[in-house]
């Protein structure tokens, strides 16, 4: 190697070292910013992805992983990490009222204010073409700077003591309404630094911090000294508060340090271990509805799959017959449910099947003297949802079956006909076995899709009717995903319980998926063995 080449290599190494240094500094800066913003999960995720990416793309040992690294990073960020976060939430008390750490809740409570009993009457006075605000309370009086109505941009009110003997006419009603419109939400600050907020059409009230942190500690009536930094004093009720590590809320305490009174919101997140899972298993009002929902979820997926496959197979066989006139037209008509957006079809059927009013419901009543009352009857709701799922799913299966049927050699049918097989026997012994084999992976995927067919249930009937003995509320026609959604986004928004139920259901669904995977793997191995 010549001296010029050695010099070029040294220059490249220096540039690469400089780039590595810049990247490391950028990683450190971004990590510090995320940590300072208390975004610890995103900080850890960013550090892991950044360091692993540098190892893959900046080292010789990471070369084999360069092509697959973006996919692995995406899978970890958007699949593995949410799953781990779900598992973490299931062992906490995470709800809409318990979403932050105890330190963050303490900081938030210290920022709360309350309106004291000190009130100031106010008047809007006309000072020529401008206006002033006058506050009065006993022997106190404050006067604002001049302002216009409507105010000019960035115009703010400031108060100074005095103005008791100043006589100015009061502004007319229109200007007073305009003042409330532009300055009602603006707090006022007295010369002493105290803050005022407008209470009504004639008064301002003095606001003060609601809580005070007892950094010096607290001595209880029994002589015990508390040095907990999360001990607060409520200036409004004059009670001492402490963080209850059992309930996840601040509570007032008595002289003995025992928790009394209602919880103070917001609460904080606590690790509860397996409490959520124990509650699911031990509480019949929660376990039995969950088992019913899980059983119905599997039944819905299985019936939808079988119905879509059988109808798609039969229709594909009928429209494939070259003797059938207008077969292409028939196929186009039969594929319409797949071409129309699903939400349009679902909402249309919801209107058409409305009991005692829908056109399709009236037709069924006229023909069969009955109609599915999916709003009040559980069996009718389930039957209707399965029918809609089949209606939306059979065109997709029909297309796949048509493609498979075209690949079957005609000699198979000719041989079966020579052996004396009729049309039904040819369908059973030739068509069905040759069609089902290549479609097994697709059918498994369709089964998995029906397990999570959230949109159908949510748009059609939200899982009604409701189980009367279930707590939290569950519906007879809810799928597992709809049940979890109703728990997570109900009035209570119990994310921890929803995560525990999700984890519980994932285990069962994972076992089913494992069984399907082994079934497919055995079929593939059997097929390869026959070919060999």
């Amino acid at each position: 190697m010549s001296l010029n080449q050695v010099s070029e290599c040294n220059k490249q190494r220096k540039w690469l070292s400089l780039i590595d240094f810049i990247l490391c500094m950028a990683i450190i800066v971004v990590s510090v910013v995320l940590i300072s913003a208390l975004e610890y999960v995103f900080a850890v995720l960013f550090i892991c992805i950044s360091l692993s990416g540098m190892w893959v793309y900046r080292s010789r040992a990471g070369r084999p992983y360069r092509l697959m690294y973006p996919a692995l990073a995406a899978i970890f960020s958007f699949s593995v990490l949410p799953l781990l976060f779900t598992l973490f939430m299931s062992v906490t008390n995470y709800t809409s009222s318990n979403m932050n750490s105890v330190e963050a809740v303490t900081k938030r409570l210290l920022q709360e204010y309350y309106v004291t009993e000190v009130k100031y009457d106010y008047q809007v006075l006309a000072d020529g073409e401008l206006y002033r605000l006058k506050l009065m309370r006993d022997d106190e009086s404050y006067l604002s700077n001049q302002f216009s109505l409507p105010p000019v941009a960035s115009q703010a009110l400031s108060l100074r003591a005095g103005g008791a003997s100043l006589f100015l006419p009061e502004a007319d009603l229109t200007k007073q309404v305009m003042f409330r419109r532009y300055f009602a939400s603006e707090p006022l600050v007295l010369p002493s630094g105290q803050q005022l907020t407008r209470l009504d059409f004639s008064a301002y009230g003095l606001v003060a911090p609601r809580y005070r942190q007892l950094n010096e500690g607290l001595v209880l009536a029994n002589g015990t000294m508390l040095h907990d930094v999360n001990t607060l004093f409520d200036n409004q009720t004059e009670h001492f508060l402490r963080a209850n590590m059992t309930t996840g809320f601040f509570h007032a305490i008595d002289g003995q340090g025992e928790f009394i009174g209602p919880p103070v919101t917001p609460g904080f997140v606590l690790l509860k271990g397996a409490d959520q899972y124990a509650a699911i298993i031990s509480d019949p009002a929660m376990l039995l509805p969950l088992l019913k929902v899980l059983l119905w979820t599997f039944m819905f997926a299985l019936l939808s799959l079988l119905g879509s496959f059988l109808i798609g197979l039969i229709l594909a066989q009928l429209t494939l017959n070259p003797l059938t006139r207008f077969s292409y037209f028939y196929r186009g008509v039969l594929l319409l449910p797949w071409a129309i957006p699903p939400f349009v079809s679902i909402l249309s059927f919801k209107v058409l099947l409305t009991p005692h009013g829908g056109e399709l419901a009236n037709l069924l009543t006229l023909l069969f003297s009955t109609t599915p009352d999916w709003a009040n009857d559980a069996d009718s709701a389930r039957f209707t949802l399965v029918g809609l799922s089949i209606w939306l799913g059979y065109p997709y299966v029909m297309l796949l079956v048509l493609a498979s049927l075209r690949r079957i050699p005609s000699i198979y049918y000719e041989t079966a006909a020579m052996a004396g097989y009729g049309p039904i026997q040819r369908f059973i012994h030739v068509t069905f076995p040759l069609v089902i084999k290549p479609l097994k992976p697709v059918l498994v995927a369709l089964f998995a899709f029906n397990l999570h067919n959230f949109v159908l249930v949510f748009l059609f009937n939200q899982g009604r009717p409701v189980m009367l003995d279930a707590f939290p509320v569950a519906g007879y026609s809810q799928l597992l995903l709809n049940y979890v959604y109703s728990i997570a986004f109900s009035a209570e928004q119990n994310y921890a319980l929803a995560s525990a139920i999700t984890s519980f259901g994932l285990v069962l669904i994972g076992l089913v998926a494992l069984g399907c995977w082994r079934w497919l793997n055995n079929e593939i191995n059997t097929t390869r063995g026959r070919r060999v």
Side-chain angles (χ1 to χ4, degrees):
M1 183 179 293
S2 64
L3 293 177
N4 291 334
Q5 291 176 338
V6 172
S7 177
E8 289 295 329
C9 290
N10 291 332
K11 288 182 179 179
Q12 290 180 359
R13 290 176 181 174
K14 290 180 180 179
W15 278 108
L16 292 176
S17 300
L18 179 62
I19 293 174
D20 291 340
F21 175 76
I22 295 174
L23 290 176
C24 291
M25 292 302 298
I27 293 173
I28 293 174
V29 171
V30 175
S31 302
V32 170
V33 171
L34 291 174
I35 293 174
S36 62
L38 304 180
E39 298 291 347
Y40 302 114
V41 176
F42 290 105
V44 172
L45 176 64
F46 175 76
I47 293 172
C48 292
I49 292 180
S50 300
L51 295 181
S52 60
M54 288 187 63
W55 177 80
V56 169
Y57 291 105
R58 305 297 298 151
S59 67
R60 184 173 299 177
R63 285 182 179 178
Y65 310 101
R66 291 181 179 179
L67 292 178
M68 66 175 68
Y69 178 78
L72 294 176
I75 291 174
F76 178 79
S77 301
F78 301 108
S79 296
V80 177
L81 189 64
L83 179 60
L84 295 176
F85 186 67
T86 301
L87 294 175
F88 168 75
M89 283 200 300
S90 68
V91 296
T92 65
N93 64 332
Y94 202 97
T95 66
S96 60
S97 301
N98 306 76
M99 302 182 68
N100 295 300
S101 64
V102 61
E103 292 80 9
V105 172
T106 302
K107 184 177 180 181
R108 179 174 175 180
L109 291 176
L110 292 175
Q111 295 174 348
E112 290 188 5
Y113 288 83
Y114 76 102
V115 181
T116 65
E117 296 180 355
V118 178
K119 296 182 180 180
Y120 291 85
D121 296 327
Y122 79 88
Q123 291 178 329
V124 180
L125 305 178
D127 189 2
E129 295 182 356
L130 300 177
Y131 301 89
R132 290 179 182 270
L133 177 67
K134 185 177 181 181
L135 300 179
M136 298 162 290
R137 177 179 178 268
D138 298 335
D139 56 348
E140 294 183 62
S141 179
Y142 298 94
L143 192 66
S144 75
N145 58 317
Q146 292 180 328
F147 58 89
S148 60
L149 289 174
V152 297
S154 68
Q155 190 173 38
L157 299 180
S158 60
L159 298 175
R160 61 179 177 82
S165 59
L166 178 65
F167 175 79
L168 290 173
E170 192 169 1
D172 57 39
L173 183 60
T174 303
K175 297 300 181 180
Q176 293 187 37
V177 172
M178 192 176 297
F179 171 81
R180 298 183 190 113
R181 175 184 176 185
Y182 290 105
F183 294 100
S185 59
E186 181 180 340
L188 297 178
V189 180
L190 296 176
S192 61
Q194 295 175 308
Q195 186 172 312
L196 302 177
T197 185
R198 199 178 72 89
L199 302 178
D200 50 35
F201 294 108
S202 61
Y204 273 84
L206 181 67
V207 296
R210 174 72 184 271
Y211 301 101
R212 176 170 58 89
Q213 194 169 19
L214 300 180
N215 297 318
E216 68 278 5
L218 172 65
V219 179
L220 300 177
N222 57 9
T224 305
M225 182 70 178
L226 298 179
H227 292 282
D228 188 1
V229 295
N230 297 316
T231 302
L232 306 176
F233 179 74
D234 191 335
N235 294 317
Q236 184 176 14
T237 62
E238 298 184 350
H239 284 104
F240 295 97
L241 283 78
R242 292 192 66 200
N244 190 335
M245 294 302 172
T246 302
T247 63
F249 290 94
F250 276 85
H251 289 265
I253 58 174
D254 57 14
Q256 305 300 320
E258 300 294 332
F259 294 106
I260 58 175
V264 177
T265 56
F268 46 89
V269 177
L270 290 176
L271 288 176
K272 305 293 286 187
D275 289 357
Q276 300 290 351
Y277 299 96
I280 294 173
I281 296 175
S282 61
D283 189 357
M286 192 180 301
L287 179 62
L288 294 179
L290 174 59
L291 294 178
K292 292 178 182 179
V293 169
L294 282 172
L295 179 61
W296 161 239
T297 300
F298 285 109
M299 291 298 298
F300 171 82
L302 183 60
L303 293 176
S304 300
L305 174 65
L306 294 177
S308 300
F309 175 72
L310 292 178
I311 293 178
L313 179 62
I314 294 172
L315 292 178
Q317 182 69 40
L318 292 176
T319 57
L320 187 68
N321 190 348
L323 299 178
T324 304
R325 298 182 62 184
F326 308 111
S327 58
Y328 291 102
F329 174 75
Y330 295 150
R331 289 176 202 165
V333 173
L334 293 173
L335 289 175
L336 280 178
W338 194 41
I340 299 175
F343 76 92
V344 175
S345 299
I346 295 169
L347 295 178
S348 299
F349 274 103
K350 182 177 181 178
V351 174
L352 294 173
L353 287 172
T354 302
H356 313 294
E359 287 79 1
L360 189 54
N362 294 336
L363 180 61
L364 292 175
T365 303
L366 182 63
L367 296 177
F368 305 105
S369 300
T370 184
T371 186
D373 187 11
W374 49 265
N376 301 305
D377 184 66
D379 294 333
S380 298
R382 291 174 173 177
F383 172 79
T384 306
L385 286 174
V386 171
L388 286 176
S389 180
I390 293 173
W391 170 264
L392 296 173
Y394 86 82
Y396 176 67
V397 178
M398 186 179 118
L399 279 178
L400 298 176
V401 172
L402 277 171
S404 299
L405 289 175
R406 292 184 180 278
R407 299 181 60 184
I408 299 177
S410 59
I411 191 173
Y412 289 177
Y413 292 103
E414 295 172 1
T415 304
M418 293 175 60
Y421 285 7
I424 297 179
Q425 291 177 316
R426 289 198 297 269
F427 177 81
I428 295 174
H429 297 285
V430 178
T431 303
F432 186 80
L434 294 177
V435 167
I436 192 66
K437 260 183 197 176
L439 291 184
K440 284 181 179 179
V442 178
L443 295 179
V444 171
L446 190 59
F447 176 77
F449 170 78
N450 286 321
L451 284 174
H452 303 90
N453 201 341
F454 172 85
V455 175
L456 174 60
V457 177
F458 182 79
L459 292 180
F460 187 73
N461 67 342
Q462 290 81 43
R464 295 193 300 266
V466 175
M467 300 181 191
L468 299 179
D469 56 345
F471 183 80
V473 178
Y476 282 101
S477 59
Q478 274 185 330
L479 302 182
L480 179 62
L481 190 58
N482 299 90
Y483 181 51
V484 171
Y485 177 85
S486 65
I487 295 174
F489 297 97
S490 60
E492 185 180 358
Q493 297 184 359
N494 195 335
Y495 303 115
L497 180 59
S499 300
I501 293 177
T502 301
S503 305
F504 189 80
L506 281 176
V507 173
L508 299 180
I509 294 176
L511 294 175
V512 174
L514 180 62
C516 293
W517 179 259
R518 288 189 174 182
W519 173 60
L520 285 175
N521 194 29
N522 292 335
E523 290 292 331
I524 293 173
N525 293 334
T526 303
T527 303
R528 289 178 179 175
R530 289 176 182 175
R531 289 179 180 176
V532 174

